[in-house]
Amino acid sequence: MRVRLQLFLIFVGLALAALAALLAGLWLGYHHLAQAGATLAAVVRSGVMAGFVQAGVVSGFALLGLMAGVWLLLDMRFAKPIDQLAGDLRARVHGDVTAALPARQALHLGDLGPAARAASDSLAQTRSALAEAVARETARLSGENARLGALLADVPAGVLLCSADHRIVFYNGLGVGLLRAIGPAGLGRSLFDYLHAGPLQHAYGRLCATGDVDAASDLLCSTRAGARVLAARMRLLQPEAGAAAGYVLTLQDVTADLNAAARREALVVEMFDRFGRPAANLATLIEALPKPALPPDLREALQGEVARLGQAVTELSQRHDQSRGEDWPLMLTRASDLLDGVAAQVAGSGVLLSQKAAPLLLHCNGFEVIGLLTLLARNLPARRFHLSLEEDGSDALLRLSWQGEVLALADLEAWLAQPIDPAMPEISGRAVLAAHATDIWPETTAEGEVLCLPLRVARRETARPDPVLRDVVYDFDLLSGARNASVAEARLDALTYVVFDSETTGLLPDQGDEVVQIAAVRIVNGRRLKTEVFDMLVNPQRKIPAASTKVHGITDAMVADAPPMAEVARRLHDFAAGAVLIAHNAPFDMQFLRRIEGQIGLRFDNPILDTVLLSAVIWGQHETHTLDALTHRLGITIPEEARHTALGDAIATADAFLKLLPMLQGRGLTRFDEVLTQVRQHGRLLKDLN
């Protein structure tokens, strides 16, 4: 009910109660007279009753008049202004009225009037500011939309945006050009009207299985008409709640490039063959010549030159073999997923397949390798196979073994000439081998017949071991004197940061452990720059223990050709110039950098922040402050394949710091020196941890 009606009803109730009380008083007075022995007639004759009635009537009207006066006063000064104020406020909230509230409207309402006017003025100012902000943002977005449209129209790659059911919802200029070369382009049409579905579905399934919106998959796909080969990159879009994720597909026609690469490859192979055979023949001829035919000095010189020529051809051929396939877009595939894919493909054809995979991540086109192995398994006369993938030096070796007939090379070559998928006749088994810069061959072993297929290893898979304490004591000095005086007074969001992490041979740097990988990312203006990344393997010049490899997945073969720590430290010093260094448990990582300073002639005297200490500032020392615990509290997911890699942990630490930053500012810590004062109170935490 409205305030005025409520007030009116209250006073009506009070008036009725007052009249009731008056009548009760008259009745009590009459009752006392009756008890005194006076009869009603005597009371009436004496005029006492008339006095009672007259007093009651006068008192009743007086009470009613008083009630009405008080009600009218309260109604005019309080109830009516409250109703008017409520109406005026609603007009300004819902009716978009911008005029100020009348100053005398709530004159008798105490602080309610000024509070209402302040709220009204604040609402008007907020609306005005919001309208201006929306106008500015609309103008900015319109400009960005125009620039983005112009950029995407001219970007040297086709860009398609597809829904979860693979229907095209956006394309740029080059994208529509690629589509129109195959058929009529149209929004809402299926992507598979233009491109073969197999590689795209395989890549989409892999990305969905990772559940990481930042993951991307590189693949090769081909057109349904025209036999064009396209290099593609697929990246999932952030899905809406309960909906499947769409994806962005960038496409580039690499048919001519691949043909040119194939011609160059054939030319290089022919060159090595033409040089290698004459060198070998020369060596044989020199040995076959009678000794008197050549003077000893000349014979020795010729033999030396021929040997050096043969050695040069061999070394160059090996270097060429190691670099083959680097220009091909190959994605990261888990070995177990690859073998599972083959098992799923052959399951419906009556083939029994057992499997065993080493914990490796491979650089390969999973769809093509699965298609090749499926093609071979279906053509081989046996129906029972064992498929294994094992580490072989710096590579991996796929072995498809069976009991039965020896495989003839002619049959193998005939099968390799067949397409791996009837829908993609242009991709034969031999083309798959060429794309991966590898070969396949049969062997006869004690266990039976085997087909061997080498593949490139990216790195070993890593488990998620329990957090370990890094055994090193370090006097953590976050700020290094005069050089960083200006940093001390700088706002946190105005500084540039370099977040880094390292993987090592062990946890005892003072006992000879070395770095095997170091990575860093840059944060500028409160944003992690995904394009500014430092990531290098390091040759530790010592063996990597198996226990350490189990953690970070880095083997001796992977770092054999990597640069030493001195060179990597120089590059990191350049990358981090002028920035604040951030690490999780920084004393451990800084120990390796400090001890190399004398050798490289440079000092890592950057200001340093430690996310262990920042976590303690926010949650207190009683909490667990490992990187896993911190990222879990902050809702940050580290992909399984990225955990315990230097780059994966550096990215996770950077994302954690970006979430800690506003939390520090919310506690009033906006400057570097203010944060420094707080983290020094928790300095003992690092010493205890280490």
PDB file of all heavy atoms in Angstrom, residues 435-471:
ATOM      1  N   ALA A 435      56.049 -36.473 -46.916  1.00  0.00           N
ATOM      2  CA  ALA A 435      55.648 -35.338 -46.079  1.00  0.00           C
ATOM      3  C   ALA A 435      56.312 -35.390 -44.709  1.00  0.00           C
ATOM      4  O   ALA A 435      56.558 -34.351 -44.093  1.00  0.00           O
ATOM      5  CB  ALA A 435      54.132 -35.320 -45.922  1.00  0.00           C
ATOM      6  N   HIS A 436      56.598 -36.572 -44.223  1.00  0.00           N
ATOM      7  CA  HIS A 436      57.209 -36.729 -42.910  1.00  0.00           C
ATOM      8  C   HIS A 436      58.714 -36.977 -42.996  1.00  0.00           C
ATOM      9  O   HIS A 436      59.349 -37.288 -41.978  1.00  0.00           O
ATOM     10  CB  HIS A 436      56.536 -37.879 -42.155  1.00  0.00           C
ATOM     11  CG  HIS A 436      55.122 -37.579 -41.741  1.00  0.00           C
ATOM     12  ND1 HIS A 436      54.075 -37.649 -42.632  1.00  0.00           N
ATOM     13  CD2 HIS A 436      54.597 -37.177 -40.548  1.00  0.00           C
ATOM     14  CE1 HIS A 436      52.958 -37.323 -42.003  1.00  0.00           C
ATOM     15  NE2 HIS A 436      53.242 -37.025 -40.748  1.00  0.00           N
ATOM     16  N   ALA A 437      59.286 -36.850 -44.215  1.00  0.00           N
ATOM     17  CA  ALA A 437      60.727 -37.006 -44.418  1.00  0.00           C
ATOM     18  C   ALA A 437      61.228 -38.314 -43.815  1.00  0.00           C
ATOM     19  O   ALA A 437      62.213 -38.349 -43.076  1.00  0.00           O
ATOM     20  CB  ALA A 437      61.473 -35.823 -43.820  1.00  0.00           C
ATOM     21  N   THR A 438      60.541 -39.387 -44.118  1.00  0.00           N
ATOM     22  CA  THR A 438      60.905 -40.672 -43.556  1.00  0.00           C
ATOM     23  C   THR A 438      60.712 -41.758 -44.606  1.00  0.00           C
ATOM     24  O   THR A 438      60.392 -41.468 -45.768  1.00  0.00           O
ATOM     25  CB  THR A 438      60.055 -40.971 -42.305  1.00  0.00           C
ATOM     26  OG1 THR A 438      60.534 -42.157 -41.678  1.00  0.00           O
ATOM     27  CG2 THR A 438      58.594 -41.140 -42.645  1.00  0.00           C
ATOM     28  N   ASP A 439      60.910 -42.987 -44.227  1.00  0.00           N
ATOM     29  CA  ASP A 439      60.721 -44.128 -45.127  1.00  0.00           C
ATOM     30  C   ASP A 439      60.216 -45.298 -44.301  1.00  0.00           C
ATOM     31  O   ASP A 439      60.164 -45.231 -43.065  1.00  0.00           O
ATOM     32  CB  ASP A 439      62.030 -44.482 -45.823  1.00  0.00           C
ATOM     33  CG  ASP A 439      61.800 -45.182 -47.160  1.00  0.00           C
ATOM     34  OD1 ASP A 439      60.649 -45.611 -47.417  1.00  0.00           O
ATOM     35  OD2 ASP A 439      62.749 -45.304 -47.943  1.00  0.00           O
ATOM     36  N   ILE A 440      59.844 -46.363 -44.969  1.00  0.00           N
ATOM     37  CA  ILE A 440      59.349 -47.559 -44.297  1.00  0.00           C
ATOM     38  C   ILE A 440      59.986 -48.762 -44.959  1.00  0.00           C
ATOM     39  O   ILE A 440      60.205 -48.782 -46.184  1.00  0.00           O
ATOM     40  CB  ILE A 440      57.807 -47.623 -44.360  1.00  0.00           C
ATOM     41  CG1 ILE A 440      57.274 -48.713 -43.428  1.00  0.00           C
ATOM     42  CG2 ILE A 440      57.299 -47.792 -45.778  1.00  0.00           C
ATOM     43  CD1 ILE A 440      55.766 -48.673 -43.234  1.00  0.00           C
ATOM     44  N   TRP A 441      60.320 -49.770 -44.174  1.00  0.00           N
ATOM     45  CA  TRP A 441      60.978 -50.947 -44.729  1.00  0.00           C
ATOM     46  C   TRP A 441      60.601 -52.184 -43.915  1.00  0.00           C
ATOM     47  O   TRP A 441      60.289 -52.083 -42.735  1.00  0.00           O
ATOM     48  CB  TRP A 441      62.501 -50.755 -44.730  1.00  0.00           C
ATOM     49  CG  TRP A 441      63.100 -50.619 -43.369  1.00  0.00           C
ATOM     50  CD1 TRP A 441      63.521 -51.615 -42.539  1.00  0.00           C
ATOM     51  CD2 TRP A 441      63.319 -49.391 -42.662  1.00  0.00           C
ATOM     52  NE1 TRP A 441      63.989 -51.101 -41.364  1.00  0.00           N
ATOM     53  CE2 TRP A 441      63.891 -49.750 -41.408  1.00  0.00           C
ATOM     54  CE3 TRP A 441      63.101 -48.053 -42.956  1.00  0.00           C
ATOM     55  CZ2 TRP A 441      64.226 -48.789 -40.469  1.00  0.00           C
ATOM     56  CZ3 TRP A 441      63.447 -47.107 -42.024  1.00  0.00           C
ATOM     57  CH2 TRP A 441      64.002 -47.467 -40.794  1.00  0.00           C
ATOM     58  N   PRO A 442      60.639 -53.356 -44.551  1.00  0.00           N
ATOM     59  CA  PRO A 442      60.353 -54.614 -43.828  1.00  0.00           C
ATOM     60  C   PRO A 442      61.634 -55.229 -43.270  1.00  0.00           C
ATOM     61  O   PRO A 442      62.730 -55.041 -43.816  1.00  0.00           O
ATOM     62  CB  PRO A 442      59.741 -55.501 -44.919  1.00  0.00           C
ATOM     63  CG  PRO A 442      60.389 -55.026 -46.186  1.00  0.00           C
ATOM     64  CD  PRO A 442      60.685 -53.556 -46.015  1.00  0.00           C
ATOM     65  N   GLU A 443      61.489 -55.926 -42.161  1.00  0.00           N
ATOM     66  CA  GLU A 443      62.591 -56.665 -41.561  1.00  0.00           C
ATOM     67  C   GLU A 443      62.080 -58.025 -41.108  1.00  0.00           C
ATOM     68  O   GLU A 443      60.897 -58.174 -40.786  1.00  0.00           O
ATOM     69  CB  GLU A 443      63.178 -55.920 -40.353  1.00  0.00           C
ATOM     70  CG  GLU A 443      63.929 -54.655 -40.685  1.00  0.00           C
ATOM     71  CD  GLU A 443      64.521 -54.002 -39.445  1.00  0.00           C
ATOM     72  OE1 GLU A 443      64.241 -54.511 -38.331  1.00  0.00           O
ATOM     73  OE2 GLU A 443      65.232 -52.998 -39.577  1.00  0.00           O
ATOM     74  N   THR A 444      62.989 -58.989 -41.082  1.00  0.00           N
ATOM     75  CA  THR A 444      62.683 -60.312 -40.527  1.00  0.00           C
ATOM     76  C   THR A 444      63.461 -60.460 -39.230  1.00  0.00           C
ATOM     77  O   THR A 444      64.694 -60.348 -39.226  1.00  0.00           O
ATOM     78  CB  THR A 444      63.053 -61.421 -41.512  1.00  0.00           C
ATOM     79  OG1 THR A 444      62.297 -61.252 -42.730  1.00  0.00           O
ATOM     80  CG2 THR A 444      62.737 -62.789 -40.918  1.00  0.00           C
ATOM     81  N   THR A 445      62.753 -60.682 -38.124  1.00  0.00           N
ATOM     82  CA  THR A 445      63.390 -60.799 -36.810  1.00  0.00           C
ATOM     83  C   THR A 445      63.021 -62.135 -36.187  1.00  0.00           C
ATOM     84  O   THR A 445      62.223 -62.916 -36.740  1.00  0.00           O
ATOM     85  CB  THR A 445      62.923 -59.660 -35.879  1.00  0.00           C
ATOM     86  OG1 THR A 445      61.524 -59.823 -35.615  1.00  0.00           O
ATOM     87  CG2 THR A 445      63.157 -58.301 -36.539  1.00  0.00           C
ATOM     88  N   ALA A 446      63.593 -62.386 -35.025  1.00  0.00           N
ATOM     89  CA  ALA A 446      63.288 -63.631 -34.313  1.00  0.00           C
ATOM     90  C   ALA A 446      61.827 -63.679 -33.891  1.00  0.00           C
ATOM     91  O   ALA A 446      61.250 -64.764 -33.737  1.00  0.00           O
ATOM     92  CB  ALA A 446      64.201 -63.764 -33.094  1.00  0.00           C
ATOM     93  N   GLU A 447      61.201 -62.497 -33.695  1.00  0.00           N
ATOM     94  CA  GLU A 447      59.798 -62.458 -33.278  1.00  0.00           C
ATOM     95  C   GLU A 447      58.840 -62.552 -34.460  1.00  0.00           C
ATOM     96  O   GLU A 447      57.628 -62.711 -34.270  1.00  0.00           O
ATOM     97  CB  GLU A 447      59.505 -61.167 -32.503  1.00  0.00           C
ATOM     98  CG  GLU A 447      60.171 -61.081 -31.138  1.00  0.00           C
ATOM     99  CD  GLU A 447      61.643 -60.739 -31.246  1.00  0.00           C
ATOM    100  OE1 GLU A 447      62.051 -60.222 -32.316  1.00  0.00           O
ATOM    101  OE2 GLU A 447      62.384 -60.992 -30.283  1.00  0.00           O
ATOM    102  N   GLY A 448      59.334 -62.436 -35.676  1.00  0.00           N
ATOM    103  CA  GLY A 448      58.475 -62.492 -36.852  1.00  0.00           C
ATOM    104  C   GLY A 448      58.794 -61.377 -37.832  1.00  0.00           C
ATOM    105  O   GLY A 448      59.885 -60.789 -37.808  1.00  0.00           O
ATOM    106  N   GLU A 449      57.841 -61.075 -38.687  1.00  0.00           N
ATOM    107  CA  GLU A 449      58.018 -60.042 -39.703  1.00  0.00           C
ATOM    108  C   GLU A 449      57.629 -58.680 -39.126  1.00  0.00           C
ATOM    109  O   GLU A 449      56.669 -58.570 -38.354  1.00  0.00           O
ATOM    110  CB  GLU A 449      57.157 -60.344 -40.931  1.00  0.00           C
ATOM    111  CG  GLU A 449      57.448 -61.711 -41.544  1.00  0.00           C
ATOM    112  CD  GLU A 449      58.902 -61.848 -41.965  1.00  0.00           C
ATOM    113  OE1 GLU A 449      59.420 -60.884 -42.578  1.00  0.00           O
ATOM    114  OE2 GLU A 449      59.513 -62.881 -41.661  1.00  0.00           O
ATOM    115  N   VAL A 450      58.376 -57.640 -39.535  1.00  0.00           N
ATOM    116  CA  VAL A 450      58.182 -56.309 -38.971  1.00  0.00           C
ATOM    117  C   VAL A 450      58.262 -55.271 -40.084  1.00  0.00           C
ATOM    118  O   VAL A 450      59.119 -55.361 -40.970  1.00  0.00           O
ATOM    119  CB  VAL A 450      59.240 -55.982 -37.895  1.00  0.00           C
ATOM    120  CG1 VAL A 450      58.995 -54.588 -37.315  1.00  0.00           C
ATOM    121  CG2 VAL A 450      59.233 -57.022 -36.797  1.00  0.00           C
ATOM    122  N   LEU A 451      57.364 -54.297 -40.034  1.00  0.00           N
ATOM    123  CA  LEU A 451      57.475 -53.083 -40.846  1.00  0.00           C
ATOM    124  C   LEU A 451      57.938 -51.964 -39.931  1.00  0.00           C
ATOM    125  O   LEU A 451      57.326 -51.714 -38.888  1.00  0.00           O
ATOM    126  CB  LEU A 451      56.129 -52.715 -41.475  1.00  0.00           C
ATOM    127  CG  LEU A 451      55.819 -53.309 -42.845  1.00  0.00           C
ATOM    128  CD1 LEU A 451      54.410 -52.915 -43.268  1.00  0.00           C
ATOM    129  CD2 LEU A 451      56.824 -52.841 -43.882  1.00  0.00           C
ATOM    130  N   CYS A 452      59.017 -51.276 -40.294  1.00  0.00           N
ATOM    131  CA  CYS A 452      59.606 -50.235 -39.458  1.00  0.00           C
ATOM    132  C   CYS A 452      59.345 -48.865 -40.081  1.00  0.00           C
ATOM    133  O   CYS A 452      59.591 -48.666 -41.277  1.00  0.00           O
ATOM    134  CB  CYS A 452      61.109 -50.451 -39.306  1.00  0.00           C
ATOM    135  SG  CYS A 452      61.537 -52.037 -38.540  1.00  0.00           S
ATOM    136  N   LEU A 453      58.885 -47.917 -39.263  1.00  0.00           N
ATOM    137  CA  LEU A 453      58.584 -46.564 -39.731  1.00  0.00           C
ATOM    138  C   LEU A 453      59.103 -45.562 -38.696  1.00  0.00           C
ATOM    139  O   LEU A 453      58.520 -45.407 -37.632  1.00  0.00           O
ATOM    140  CB  LEU A 453      57.066 -46.386 -39.909  1.00  0.00           C
ATOM    141  CG  LEU A 453      56.580 -44.969 -40.236  1.00  0.00           C
ATOM    142  CD1 LEU A 453      57.127 -44.504 -41.578  1.00  0.00           C
ATOM    143  CD2 LEU A 453      55.052 -44.917 -40.250  1.00  0.00           C
ATOM    144  N   PRO A 454      60.209 -44.842 -38.968  1.00  0.00           N
ATOM    145  CA  PRO A 454      60.704 -43.816 -38.031  1.00  0.00           C
ATOM    146  C   PRO A 454      59.863 -42.543 -38.122  1.00  0.00           C
ATOM    147  O   PRO A 454      59.390 -42.162 -39.190  1.00  0.00           O
ATOM    148  CB  PRO A 454      62.144 -43.546 -38.519  1.00  0.00           C
ATOM    149  CG  PRO A 454      62.435 -44.592 -39.539  1.00  0.00           C
ATOM    150  CD  PRO A 454      61.120 -45.035 -40.102  1.00  0.00           C
ATOM    151  N   LEU A 455      59.687 -41.870 -36.975  1.00  0.00           N
ATOM    152  CA  LEU A 455      58.983 -40.594 -36.901  1.00  0.00           C
ATOM    153  C   LEU A 455      59.758 -39.652 -35.988  1.00  0.00           C
ATOM    154  O   LEU A 455      60.492 -40.091 -35.095  1.00  0.00           O
ATOM    155  CB  LEU A 455      57.558 -40.780 -36.353  1.00  0.00           C
ATOM    156  CG  LEU A 455      56.566 -41.521 -37.255  1.00  0.00           C
ATOM    157  CD1 LEU A 455      55.274 -41.772 -36.499  1.00  0.00           C
ATOM    158  CD2 LEU A 455      56.283 -40.729 -38.524  1.00  0.00           C
ATOM    159  N   ARG A 456      59.557 -38.345 -36.195  1.00  0.00           N
ATOM    160  CA  ARG A 456      60.247 -37.340 -35.389  1.00  0.00           C
ATOM    161  C   ARG A 456      59.577 -37.185 -34.028  1.00  0.00           C
ATOM    162  O   ARG A 456      58.352 -37.133 -33.935  1.00  0.00           O
ATOM    163  CB  ARG A 456      60.258 -35.989 -36.108  1.00  0.00           C
ATOM    164  CG  ARG A 456      61.109 -35.953 -37.352  1.00  0.00           C
ATOM    165  CD  ARG A 456      60.890 -34.653 -38.113  1.00  0.00           C
ATOM    166  NE  ARG A 456      61.196 -33.505 -37.286  1.00  0.00           N
ATOM    167  CZ  ARG A 456      60.736 -32.290 -37.517  1.00  0.00           C
ATOM    168  NH1 ARG A 456      59.912 -32.078 -38.529  1.00  0.00           N
ATOM    169  NH2 ARG A 456      61.069 -31.288 -36.732  1.00  0.00           N
ATOM    170  N   VAL A 457      60.401 -37.104 -32.993  1.00  0.00           N
ATOM    171  CA  VAL A 457      59.906 -36.920 -31.629  1.00  0.00           C
ATOM    172  C   VAL A 457      59.970 -35.438 -31.271  1.00  0.00           C
ATOM    173  O   VAL A 457      60.983 -34.775 -31.519  1.00  0.00           O
ATOM    174  CB  VAL A 457      60.744 -37.738 -30.620  1.00  0.00           C
ATOM    175  CG1 VAL A 457      60.366 -37.377 -29.191  1.00  0.00           C
ATOM    176  CG2 VAL A 457      60.513 -39.219 -30.845  1.00  0.00           C
ATOM    177  N   ALA A 458      58.899 -34.913 -30.698  1.00  0.00           N
ATOM    178  CA  ALA A 458      58.921 -33.550 -30.184  1.00  0.00           C
ATOM    179  C   ALA A 458      59.524 -33.554 -28.776  1.00  0.00           C
ATOM    180  O   ALA A 458      60.451 -32.820 -28.482  1.00  0.00           O
ATOM    181  CB  ALA A 458      57.521 -32.962 -30.159  1.00  0.00           C
ATOM    182  N   ARG A 459      59.002 -34.400 -27.918  1.00  0.00           N
ATOM    183  CA  ARG A 459      59.494 -34.519 -26.550  1.00  0.00           C
ATOM    184  C   ARG A 459      58.777 -35.676 -25.882  1.00  0.00           C
ATOM    185  O   ARG A 459      57.801 -36.203 -26.411  1.00  0.00           O
ATOM    186  CB  ARG A 459      59.267 -33.236 -25.737  1.00  0.00           C
ATOM    187  CG  ARG A 459      57.824 -32.804 -25.666  1.00  0.00           C
ATOM    188  CD  ARG A 459      57.691 -31.497 -24.907  1.00  0.00           C
ATOM    189  NE  ARG A 459      58.054 -31.643 -23.516  1.00  0.00           N
ATOM    190  CZ  ARG A 459      57.171 -31.931 -22.557  1.00  0.00           C
ATOM    191  NH1 ARG A 459      55.900 -32.092 -22.844  1.00  0.00           N
ATOM    192  NH2 ARG A 459      57.555 -32.047 -21.314  1.00  0.00           N
ATOM    193  N   ARG A 460      59.279 -36.059 -24.737  1.00  0.00           N
ATOM    194  CA  ARG A 460      58.610 -37.106 -23.970  1.00  0.00           C
ATOM    195  C   ARG A 460      57.419 -36.529 -23.243  1.00  0.00           C
ATOM    196  O   ARG A 460      57.402 -35.361 -22.871  1.00  0.00           O
ATOM    197  CB  ARG A 460      59.582 -37.726 -22.952  1.00  0.00           C
ATOM    198  CG  ARG A 460      60.722 -38.493 -23.578  1.00  0.00           C
ATOM    199  CD  ARG A 460      61.620 -39.070 -22.502  1.00  0.00           C
ATOM    200  NE  ARG A 460      60.917 -40.044 -21.685  1.00  0.00           N
ATOM    201  CZ  ARG A 460      60.836 -41.340 -21.957  1.00  0.00           C
ATOM    202  NH1 ARG A 460      61.404 -41.813 -23.030  1.00  0.00           N
ATOM    203  NH2 ARG A 460      60.176 -42.150 -21.159  1.00  0.00           N
ATOM    204  N   GLU A 461      56.396 -37.366 -23.073  1.00  0.00           N
ATOM    205  CA  GLU A 461      55.291 -36.968 -22.198  1.00  0.00           C
ATOM    206  C   GLU A 461      55.810 -36.892 -20.765  1.00  0.00           C
ATOM    207  O   GLU A 461      56.746 -37.592 -20.387  1.00  0.00           O
ATOM    208  CB  GLU A 461      54.163 -38.007 -22.252  1.00  0.00           C
ATOM    209  CG  GLU A 461      53.338 -37.976 -23.521  1.00  0.00           C
ATOM    210  CD  GLU A 461      52.150 -38.892 -23.399  1.00  0.00           C
ATOM    211  OE1 GLU A 461      51.282 -38.606 -22.547  1.00  0.00           O
ATOM    212  OE2 GLU A 461      52.082 -39.895 -24.127  1.00  0.00           O
ATOM    213  N   THR A 462      55.183 -36.031 -19.986  1.00  0.00           N
ATOM    214  CA  THR A 462      55.584 -35.914 -18.584  1.00  0.00           C
ATOM    215  C   THR A 462      54.418 -36.264 -17.686  1.00  0.00           C
ATOM    216  O   THR A 462      53.264 -35.972 -17.992  1.00  0.00           O
ATOM    217  CB  THR A 462      56.039 -34.487 -18.260  1.00  0.00           C
ATOM    218  OG1 THR A 462      54.965 -33.592 -18.549  1.00  0.00           O
ATOM    219  CG2 THR A 462      57.253 -34.101 -19.075  1.00  0.00           C
ATOM    220  N   ALA A 463      54.745 -36.913 -16.602  1.00  0.00           N
ATOM    221  CA  ALA A 463      53.731 -37.194 -15.582  1.00  0.00           C
ATOM    222  C   ALA A 463      53.569 -35.948 -14.720  1.00  0.00           C
ATOM    223  O   ALA A 463      54.258 -34.957 -14.882  1.00  0.00           O
ATOM    224  CB  ALA A 463      54.162 -38.387 -14.732  1.00  0.00           C
ATOM    225  N   ARG A 464      52.650 -36.001 -13.794  1.00  0.00           N
ATOM    226  CA  ARG A 464      52.477 -34.912 -12.824  1.00  0.00           C
ATOM    227  C   ARG A 464      52.940 -35.407 -11.455  1.00  0.00           C
ATOM    228  O   ARG A 464      52.129 -35.829 -10.628  1.00  0.00           O
ATOM    229  CB  ARG A 464      51.017 -34.475 -12.761  1.00  0.00           C
ATOM    230  CG  ARG A 464      50.579 -33.659 -13.955  1.00  0.00           C
ATOM    231  CD  ARG A 464      49.149 -33.238 -13.770  1.00  0.00           C
ATOM    232  NE  ARG A 464      48.714 -32.372 -14.838  1.00  0.00           N
ATOM    233  CZ  ARG A 464      48.722 -31.049 -14.775  1.00  0.00           C
ATOM    234  NH1 ARG A 464      49.145 -30.455 -13.706  1.00  0.00           N
ATOM    235  NH2 ARG A 464      48.295 -30.319 -15.780  1.00  0.00           N
ATOM    236  N   PRO A 465      54.247 -35.386 -11.213  1.00  0.00           N
ATOM    237  CA  PRO A 465      54.717 -35.868  -9.911  1.00  0.00           C
ATOM    238  C   PRO A 465      54.317 -34.905  -8.806  1.00  0.00           C
ATOM    239  O   PRO A 465      53.971 -33.757  -9.056  1.00  0.00           O
ATOM    240  CB  PRO A 465      56.249 -35.893 -10.082  1.00  0.00           C
ATOM    241  CG  PRO A 465      56.511 -34.882 -11.150  1.00  0.00           C
ATOM    242  CD  PRO A 465      55.318 -34.916 -12.072  1.00  0.00           C
ATOM    243  N   ASP A 466      54.396 -35.406  -7.574  1.00  0.00           N
ATOM    244  CA  ASP A 466      54.115 -34.536  -6.435  1.00  0.00           C
ATOM    245  C   ASP A 466      55.107 -33.384  -6.420  1.00  0.00           C
ATOM    246  O   ASP A 466      56.261 -33.540  -6.824  1.00  0.00           O
ATOM    247  CB  ASP A 466      54.213 -35.318  -5.125  1.00  0.00           C
ATOM    248  CG  ASP A 466      53.130 -36.378  -5.039  1.00  0.00           C
ATOM    249  OD1 ASP A 466      52.070 -36.173  -5.667  1.00  0.00           O
ATOM    250  OD2 ASP A 466      53.356 -37.400  -4.368  1.00  0.00           O
ATOM    251  N   PRO A 467      54.676 -32.207  -5.954  1.00  0.00           N
ATOM    252  CA  PRO A 467      55.606 -31.077  -5.885  1.00  0.00           C
ATOM    253  C   PRO A 467      56.826 -31.433  -5.042  1.00  0.00           C
ATOM    254  O   PRO A 467      56.728 -32.078  -4.000  1.00  0.00           O
ATOM    255  CB  PRO A 467      54.769 -29.972  -5.218  1.00  0.00           C
ATOM    256  CG  PRO A 467      53.352 -30.363  -5.475  1.00  0.00           C
ATOM    257  CD  PRO A 467      53.330 -31.858  -5.503  1.00  0.00           C
ATOM    258  N   VAL A 468      58.012 -31.047  -5.537  1.00  0.00           N
ATOM    259  CA  VAL A 468      59.255 -31.338  -4.827  1.00  0.00           C
ATOM    260  C   VAL A 468      59.827 -30.035  -4.306  1.00  0.00           C
ATOM    261  O   VAL A 468      59.654 -28.971  -4.893  1.00  0.00           O
ATOM    262  CB  VAL A 468      60.268 -32.032  -5.764  1.00  0.00           C
ATOM    263  CG1 VAL A 468      59.777 -33.402  -6.149  1.00  0.00           C
ATOM    264  CG2 VAL A 468      60.520 -31.186  -7.009  1.00  0.00           C
ATOM    265  N   LEU A 469      60.514 -30.122  -3.194  1.00  0.00           N
ATOM    266  CA  LEU A 469      61.188 -28.965  -2.642  1.00  0.00           C
ATOM    267  C   LEU A 469      62.550 -28.834  -3.293  1.00  0.00           C
ATOM    268  O   LEU A 469      63.306 -29.797  -3.382  1.00  0.00           O
ATOM    269  CB  LEU A 469      61.328 -29.124  -1.123  1.00  0.00           C
ATOM    270  CG  LEU A 469      60.012 -29.224  -0.352  1.00  0.00           C
ATOM    271  CD1 LEU A 469      60.301 -29.335   1.136  1.00  0.00           C
ATOM    272  CD2 LEU A 469      59.134 -28.032  -0.635  1.00  0.00           C
ATOM    273  N   ARG A 470      62.893 -27.643  -3.744  1.00  0.00           N
ATOM    274  CA  ARG A 470      64.156 -27.413  -4.427  1.00  0.00           C
ATOM    275  C   ARG A 470      65.208 -27.056  -3.383  1.00  0.00           C
ATOM    276  O   ARG A 470      65.122 -26.022  -2.719  1.00  0.00           O
ATOM    277  CB  ARG A 470      63.987 -26.300  -5.461  1.00  0.00           C
ATOM    278  CG  ARG A 470      63.027 -26.718  -6.573  1.00  0.00           C
ATOM    279  CD  ARG A 470      62.775 -25.610  -7.543  1.00  0.00           C
ATOM    280  NE  ARG A 470      62.136 -26.108  -8.751  1.00  0.00           N
ATOM    281  CZ  ARG A 470      61.871 -25.366  -9.808  1.00  0.00           C
ATOM    282  NH1 ARG A 470      62.176 -24.092  -9.812  1.00  0.00           N
ATOM    283  NH2 ARG A 470      61.303 -25.895 -10.862  1.00  0.00           N
ATOM    284  N   ASP A 471      66.194 -27.909  -3.267  1.00  0.00           N
ATOM    285  CA  ASP A 471      67.127 -27.844  -2.153  1.00  0.00           C
ATOM    286  C   ASP A 471      68.238 -26.834  -2.448  1.00  0.00           C
ATOM    287  O   ASP A 471      69.297 -27.172  -2.940  1.00  0.00           O
ATOM    288  CB  ASP A 471      67.717 -29.243  -1.913  1.00  0.00           C
ATOM    289  CG  ASP A 471      68.538 -29.285  -0.653  1.00  0.00           C
ATOM    290  OD1 ASP A 471      68.478 -28.305   0.103  1.00  0.00           O
ATOM    291  OD2 ASP A 471      69.232 -30.289  -0.445  1.00  0.00           O
TER     292      ASP A 471
END
